[in-house]
Amino acid sequence: MRKKRRIQWTGAIIFILMLGLLMRLAEIQLFFTESFSKLDINLIQESVKQRTEEVVISDGRGEFLDRNGQALLTKEQPAVILFPFLQYDLPRLQQTASILEMEEDELKKQLTETKKPLILKDDITKKKLKDINDMKYSGVYGVYMKEKDKKRLALHTLGFTSENPELLRKRYPDKKELSIRTEIGTFGLESTFDEFLLPEQDTKLLYHVDGRGNPLFGMDVKYTAEAHSFYPLQVQTTIDEDMQAEMEKVLKEQGVEKGGAVLLDIESSSVLAMASTPNVTSKNRHEARNYMLTAIAPGSVFKTAVLAAAIEKNLDQPQTMYDCRKNLYGEPEGKQAVLNLTDSFSESCNYTFATLAERLIQTDDQIIEKTAAKLGLLDRAGWEGDVYHKQHFKQFDREETGSVWGDKRDKHVKKAIAQTAIGQKNVKTTPLQIANMMATIARGGERKEVKIAEKVLYQNGTTMLSFQNKRPEGGSIDRYTAQKLQKFLRQVVTSDKGTGRRFQDLPYDVAGKSGTAQTGSQDKKGNPLYHKWFAGYFPVEKPKYALVVVHLDETSGRAKTNDAFYDIVKKVNEIEKKQT
């Protein structure tokens, strides 16, 4: 009796398992062949791909262009594609080897050793491509393959793509036609402009094979390509490829291991070059961070905002003297002398600005953050607005906002006020915000949002949409304040004791401000680490460029901020001469 029950239970379990297996097979082969699992996988398409050999000539994704219309991420590489079955057609094999100037045996050997299409790129000329295509043989093609440039520029800014099926379906729930293998933008402009750059169709050569890799339907190779003249789209950025390349080169040569630089066109407040270090690799992509969009302590660069507030409150009297022999907290230190406001700014006297900040708060306890906001140091600096059918579109990916006070009670604490006055405590700004502040001052007080994309173009070159220059909401400093700030910033460079005197012999007249912020951390040897800045604009008489360089987490003696700033300005001058 017990044996009979065990047999019955065993049979029932086997029946249930078989039923479950049959139901699973039915799901796969009958019911959900085009939308399997939560990722909506098209099983029919995927099964065909398993029996298909293909060579992707272009993945169909849109492209980023520099301001002159040159591709920034990819390059076209001449190549000859040979399908393995060419080895069986001896006359064609011999003709192909002759055109490619190869030994017939060597070419046949390479074809024999591979089951996949053979791609040859070395020494491929336009004439060889023409002669190959004149053969009109389905197993041999001469093409220009679109490949990612191995020496890519502006990697932190332009960003990168990756396969992420879950994010793909979440971001584009209505685009069921997209394969789960479609790469999408996950960082930088690749992410913010992803919807515009998604591929409509790739360009490729393909043929079907059996389990051994032999042609399944004869030697028929198909060419598939997007026939639409409007797609893929192209995003024309404001980046100058030459300036971007030189900026990255300077940062590397000067040893700026963590930090970066950003260069703006003052008239349009657009990014000409932006670089962040350390560089992004395949191993550290998950840690990628663009420091030019990261809010960090600006140090004495923030004194520019305190000075602007003092000018607007008429506290910039030239006869007022400050005892700069005292430190930030009014204690004797003896490093400097008794200075007026102009010299205090050019020599970056902490005591002067701690004193000014305290007086300002006594007149208006919101004056410092109000002025910082007028200079664009609190809100995001990048272009934002409604575009196409997207609301609140942001050009910059993961751009942070700035801050002045962490706790309003700090406004009543003398030491907290002093630390805030010199850009520490809870003061945080991004290098992009600082660059835009310098551009605002150079323009006479007019604020603008920073652009890095000028327009989106159809494939045929016509414009789909343009990003117009925008003024952000909120007030701005008046022209009188801006003009006085210009004089103070210029004095930083022209003064024999100014912190920017290094730049006196540059081909452009420079105005700007240095900054050093303590991080509270130390290196392995116990040396304190600092964020070192220099921010400015040039030429002074007719301002054209705003530049910020920052070197993060370095000891005071090792920071290469001024050296990098100096070299970048020289490179900009050289490039400008070549381009005019």
Side-chain angles (χ1 to χ4, degrees):
M1 189 72 175
R2 290 181 180 178
K3 184 177 180 181
K4 185 177 180 180
R5 286 183 179 178
R6 282 199 299 269
I7 293 173
Q8 289 175 339
W9 277 107
T10 302
I13 292 171
I14 292 173
F15 175 77
I16 292 171
L17 291 173
M18 291 296 294
L19 182 62
L21 181 60
L22 287 171
M23 291 178 64
R24 185 62 169 172
L25 289 172
E27 282 185 341
I28 294 173
Q29 297 190 0
L30 298 176
F31 303 125
F32 302 110
T33 56
E34 296 184 5
S35 58
F36 182 70
S37 84
K38 63 179 181 180
L39 297 178
D40 291 329
I41 299 171
N42 189 316
L43 295 175
I44 296 175
Q45 290 181 356
E46 296 302 316
S47 66
V48 171
K49 287 179 181 179
Q50 288 182 347
R51 289 289 179 263
T52 303
E53 289 292 351
E54 62 181 40
V55 178
V56 177
I57 299 171
S58 171
D59 64 5
R61 187 171 175 83
E63 176 65 282
F64 288 107
L65 310 177
D66 80 344
R67 63 174 181 165
N68 298 312
Q70 298 299 312
L72 285 169
L73 296 181
T74 62
K75 62 179 180 179
E76 287 192 331
Q77 173 77 27
V80 171
I81 301 171
L82 311 172
F83 284 80
F85 53 75
L86 174 64
Q87 62 185 296
Y88 306 116
D89 190 333
L90 296 183
R92 296 291 188 181
L93 177 66
Q94 185 179 24
Q95 186 179 3
T96 302
S98 176
I99 293 173
L100 296 177
E101 299 175 347
M102 294 179 65
E103 293 292 335
E104 182 181 341
D105 291 342
E106 175 59 27
L107 181 57
K108 186 173 183 178
K109 179 183 177 184
Q110 291 189 38
L111 289 167
T112 304
E113 291 176 348
T114 180
K115 290 185 177 181
K116 297 182 178 294
L118 179 64
I119 303 174
L120 302 177
K121 299 178 183 177
D122 295 337
D123 300 321
I124 304 299
T125 63
K126 289 183 179 179
K127 185 179 185 307
K128 288 180 181 179
L129 287 185
K130 181 179 181 303
D131 292 344
I132 284 291
N133 289 327
D134 285 346
M135 290 173 57
K136 296 182 179 179
Y137 180 63
S138 63
V140 183
Y141 290 86
V143 299
Y144 283 94
M145 299 184 70
K146 184 174 284 189
E147 299 179 339
K148 290 184 178 180
D149 193 340
K150 293 180 180 179
K151 298 180 180 179
R152 288 180 55 184
L153 296 172
L155 190 52
H156 285 87
T157 304
L158 299 179
F160 43 79
T161 61
S162 60
E163 288 187 14
N164 190 327
E166 289 188 9
L167 180 59
L168 172 69
R169 294 303 185 220
K170 180 180 179 182
R171 189 181 286 179
Y172 306 111
D174 299 328
K175 292 184 179 291
K176 306 294 185 183
E177 73 278 7
L178 290 175
S179 166
I180 59 169
R181 292 190 175 92
T182 301
E183 290 200 354
I184 58 175
T186 52
F187 188 81
L189 298 190
E190 288 278 20
S191 178
T192 56
F193 284 89
D194 189 53
E195 187 172 350
F196 297 102
L197 300 173
L198 281 176
E200 294 290 319
Q201 181 181 336
D202 53 13
T203 301
K204 58 190 176 186
L205 298 168
L206 55 85
Y207 77 115
H208 301 290
V209 296
D210 60 20
R212 296 180 179 180
N214 297 317
L216 191 59
F217 304 118
M219 297 181 182
D220 183 28
V221 177
K222 294 183 179 180
Y223 176 83
T224 67
E226 174 57 59
H228 206 301
S229 62
F230 292 118
Y231 297 93
L233 298 175
Q234 300 170 318
V235 178
Q236 183 163 19
T237 71
T238 62
I239 293 173
D240 185 293
E241 186 175 13
D242 293 335
M243 294 183 183
Q244 180 71 36
E246 290 298 338
M247 175 181 282
E248 293 185 16
K249 184 178 178 181
V250 166
L251 293 173
K252 184 176 181 179
E253 290 176 346
Q254 290 297 346
V256 180
E257 296 175 354
K258 183 179 180 182
V262 55
L263 178 72
L264 299 185
D265 176 280
I266 287 176
E267 183 179 357
S268 61
S269 208
S270 57
V271 175
L272 294 173
M274 180 187 287
S276 179
T277 58
N279 206 359
V280 179
T281 66
S282 57
K283 294 181 180 180
N284 68 359
R285 277 191 173 189
H286 63 287
E287 300 174 348
R289 190 174 189 183
N290 189 341
Y291 285 109
M292 299 304 97
L293 305 177
T294 301
I296 51 183
S300 292
V301 176
F302 188 72
K303 290 175 182 175
T304 308
V306 177
L307 178 59
I311 293 171
E312 293 193 343
K313 288 296 184 180
N314 201 31
L315 295 180
D316 60 323
Q317 300 304 311
Q319 68 273 15
T320 304
M321 304 299 289
Y322 300 88
D323 190 355
C324 291
R325 294 169 298 184
K326 296 179 180 178
N327 66 12
L328 178 63
Y329 307 117
E331 300 163 345
E333 195 171 68
K335 287 185 178 180
Q336 294 174 300
V338 177
L339 305 173
N340 60 22
L341 185 55
T342 300
D343 291 335
S344 292
F345 188 73
S346 63
E347 297 180 33
S348 205
C349 172
N350 290 338
Y351 175 74
T352 299
F353 285 87
T355 303
L356 276 177
E358 193 171 357
R359 292 176 183 173
L360 285 166
I361 289 175
Q362 289 173 356
T363 62
D364 181 352
D365 66 0
Q366 296 184 44
I367 185 62
I368 295 179
E369 58 263 44
K370 284 180 181 177
T371 308
K374 290 179 182 179
L375 290 168
L377 298 181
L378 298 187
D379 294 330
R380 286 183 292 268
W383 196 99
E384 298 183 13
D386 296 339
V387 172
Y388 201 38
H389 61 270
K390 297 173 69 70
Q391 292 185 328
H392 309 298
F393 177 80
K394 300 178 182 66
Q395 287 196 358
F396 293 93
D397 181 34
R398 310 180 200 191
E399 181 190 1
E400 297 179 2
T401 58
S403 63
V404 176
W405 303 100
D407 189 330
K408 293 181 179 180
R409 291 174 295 184
D410 286 344
K411 297 179 182 182
H412 306 289
V413 180
K414 188 171 183 176
K415 284 191 173 182
I417 294 171
Q419 291 168 3
T420 301
I422 63 168
Q424 300 211 169
K425 187 64 175 175
N426 292 299
V427 180
K428 297 284 190 300
T429 59
T430 69
L432 184 64
Q433 288 174 319
I434 294 293
N436 200 33
M437 176 183 74
M438 289 295 168
T440 297
I441 294 169
R443 282 192 298 262
E446 181 187 7
R447 285 178 62 201
K448 292 181 180 180
E449 292 183 2
V450 180
K451 292 190 301 183
I452 196 167
E454 192 67 43
K455 58 183 72 172
V456 177
L457 302 171
Y458 289 113
Q459 182 66 24
N460 61 11
T462 58
T463 300
M464 177 186 182
L465 63 90
S466 297
F467 297 95
Q468 303 300 322
N469 292 337
K470 284 185 60 182
R471 293 184 179 182
E473 296 179 357
S476 60
I477 58 172
D478 58 40
R479 190 166 189 82
Y480 172 78
T481 301
Q483 289 174 340
K484 296 204 76 172
L485 287 173
Q486 290 170 7
K487 293 179 180 178
F488 277 97
L489 290 167
R490 178 59 178 153
Q491 184 74 13
V492 171
V493 177
T494 58
S495 172
D496 290 339
K497 294 184 179 180
T499 57
R501 60 188 179 275
R502 164 82 195 280
F503 310 124
Q504 291 177 3
D505 64 342
L506 281 169
Y508 295 116
D509 289 337
V510 174
K513 183 72 186 77
S514 62
T516 301
Q518 296 178 346
T519 66
S521 301
Q522 296 178 338
D523 66 8
K524 294 179 180 179
K525 296 181 180 180
N527 299 311
L529 296 177
Y530 302 89
H531 298 331
K532 300 284 287 188
W533 296 69
F534 197 89
Y537 64 88
F538 55 95
V540 168
E541 294 303 318
K542 294 182 178 180
K544 192 172 182 179
Y545 306 102
L547 174 63
V548 172
V549 178
V550 58
H551 195 180
L552 304 176
D553 295 332
E554 279 295 347
T555 58
S556 183
R558 287 188 57 196
K560 302 296 183 180
T561 312
N562 285 12
D563 294 338
F565 190 99
Y566 186 95
D567 287 351
I568 292 171
V569 174
K570 286 185 67 177
K571 292 297 182 183
V572 169
N573 178 255
E574 293 171 7
I575 293 169
E576 192 176 62
K577 287 180 178 178
K578 290 180 182 178
Q579 294 179 348
T580 55

